[in-house]
Amino acid sequence: MKHASKLLGVSTSLVLAMLGSTTAHATGTLAGTTITNTATVNYSVSGIAQNAATASNSVVVDRKVIFTVAGAAATTTVSPGQTSAVTAYTIQNSSNDTLDFALGAVNQSTGATAAHGGTSAYSVTSFSYYIDTNGNGQYDAGTDQQITYLDELAPDTTKTVFVLANVPLSATNAQVSGVVLTATAEQGGGSGSQGTVLTNSTGAWTPGTVQTVFADLTGATDSQYDGKYSAKGDYTVYAPVLTVTKLSSVVSDPINGTTNPKAIPGAVVEYCIVVQNASGAASTTALSISDPLPTQVTYLSSFGILLNGTYSGTACNSDGTANLSNSSYTAASGSNPASVAGTLNNVAAGGATTMRFRATIN
């Protein structure tokens, strides 16, 4: 569409007036800026200079929408059952206008390729969004403000948005959860009030109004020129991989003593609980064992409870430490059976620990 103003003769001078911001931006002239140029015609009649004739033309700059979203450079390491696990995204507005951005995080489908390798194997839940209020690039609980959308992102500006989610307790070591964050361009200009979703102006150019042209590229899951941009992030589980084995051996009986004893009434049985952690797994924390005793046996208090022993691979070794502050025996009470319990040292990857105690067969 042409936009013309009446002009006498040929222009001899040109003046460019920018009504609005004159600051130079990488994004170009800001949307809504009025570009006015005025042509002046000077002439004479019978050698006498006449008043100059002028004509002006004004063009209102339209909105060019272009922005990107980028996920964190590395995966976020999480534990099973962790709440408010954080991954970061940056949103850069390269448009020539201040915009709001709607935020939407979704799980990748099972088997989809995750951002930092591997395939998505589980889903996180309860997405929430926080803006990097102090601009340090790190999530600071109590400082960074929770948001539902990104408000008033100026041209040539980048903001970090943190996505928080909960990890299911069922997630296991080395499993990955892929997440896609999509930002959708919305009308800006009203701080504290979310703007409407922008639409691409596909019809003819309308002089004097601000029209919208989508110039965004293809994101992780969205298309070119759709007013959206998406990027991947992921959470990778780092957890212990435990194998628990409970062994028993007959130590003595009333007939044979310690020579080939049998599990007859009056015999002493040694129980050993082995906790092993797989190579490459995370170390355990707060490792404790509780073992209710069957009614057919009676706890042998003279032997006690030995903690943090070693395991040969087929049998428990005769070691461990009696630690009354970290172990306990609780007698039966009502419907509650007697039980032994112990708090053990953490087990590193590839390591093992044991808890041993003895009981007499009734």
Side-chain angles (χ1 to χ4, degrees):
M1 173 179 288
K2 295 180 179 178
H3 180 41
S5 296
K6 186 175 180 181
L7 176 64
L8 296 177
V10 181
S11 172
T12 59
S13 65
L14 181 64
V15 178
L16 176 63
M18 301 288 290
L19 303 181
S21 173
T22 59
T23 304
H25 290 269
T27 54
T29 304
L30 296 181
T33 299
T34 300
I35 300 175
T36 301
N37 55 354
T38 300
T40 301
V41 176
N42 297 297
Y43 64 101
S44 298
V45 176
S46 300
I48 301 172
Q50 304 296 302
N51 292 328
T54 62
S56 298
N57 181 275
S58 296
V59 174
V60 177
V61 177
D62 291 323
R63 179 187 298 110
K64 178 184 178 182
V65 175
I66 180 169
F67 61 99
T68 56
V69 181
T75 190
T76 297
T77 300
V78 296
S79 302
Q82 182 176 340
T83 59
S84 300
V86 181
T87 188
Y89 294 82
T90 54
I91 301 176
Q92 181 177 15
N93 183 18
S94 299
S95 309
N96 65 338
D97 199 6
T98 297
L99 301 178
D100 291 346
F101 291 94
L103 303 172
V106 297
N107 287 285
Q108 289 186 265
S109 58
T110 301
T113 301
H116 300 100
T119 57
S120 188
Y122 72 95
S123 295
V124 292
T125 60
S126 303
F127 290 113
S128 58
Y129 314 103
Y130 289 77
I131 191 167
D132 186 10
T133 304
N134 56 15
N136 67 354
Q138 304 292 325
Y139 174 68
D140 299 307
T143 298
D144 294 329
Q145 296 178 348
Q146 186 171 7
I147 58 175
T148 56
Y149 69 98
L150 185 56
D151 190 32
E152 297 295 289
L153 188 60
D156 294 316
T157 302
T158 300
K159 287 289 186 181
T160 297
V161 172
F162 302 108
V163 175
L164 276 63
N166 298 338
V167 180
L169 190 60
S170 58
T172 59
N173 187 55
Q175 280 191 321
V176 178
S177 175
V179 174
V180 175
L181 178 68
T182 300
T184 302
E186 298 178 323
Q187 178 80 42
S191 180
S193 177
Q194 186 172 5
T196 58
V197 175
L198 293 173
T199 58
N200 203 24
S201 301
T202 57
W205 178 52
T206 304
T209 65
V210 177
Q211 294 178 277
T212 299
V213 177
F214 287 162
D216 53 286
L217 302 179
T218 302
T221 59
D222 66 282
S223 303
Q224 186 179 34
Y225 306 154
D226 62 356
K228 300 179 180 181
Y229 203 95
S230 54
K232 294 180 181 179
D234 51 32
Y235 301 90
T236 301
V237 177
Y238 184 50
V241 180
L242 300 183
T243 301
V244 179
T245 307
K246 186 173 182 179
L247 305 173
S248 63
S249 61
V250 180
V251 177
S252 65
D253 71 45
I255 306 300
N256 300 296
T258 58
T259 303
N260 298 321
K262 305 298 186 293
I264 61 175
V268 175
V269 177
E270 181 172 302
Y271 291 102
C272 179
I273 302 170
V274 185
V275 180
Q276 295 173 280
N277 194 9
S279 297
S283 177
T284 64
T285 58
L287 178 62
S288 64
I289 299 174
S290 178
D291 189 7
L293 298 181
T295 57
Q296 295 88 349
V297 300
T298 299
Y299 172 68
L300 189 61
S301 59
S302 60
F303 182 81
I305 302 170
L306 301 182
L307 305 176
N308 301 310
T310 58
Y311 180 61
S312 66
T314 58
C316 293
N317 298 319
S318 298
D319 54 12
T321 302
N323 188 328
L324 295 178
S325 63
N326 285 342
S327 63
S328 63
Y329 165 74
T330 304
S333 176
S335 60
N336 297 319
S339 64
V340 296
T343 300
L344 289 83
N345 296 336
N346 293 331
V347 182
T353 192
T354 67
M355 181 177 85
R356 293 191 299 131
F357 64 93
R358 291 181 179 182
T360 302
I361 298 177
N362 297 331

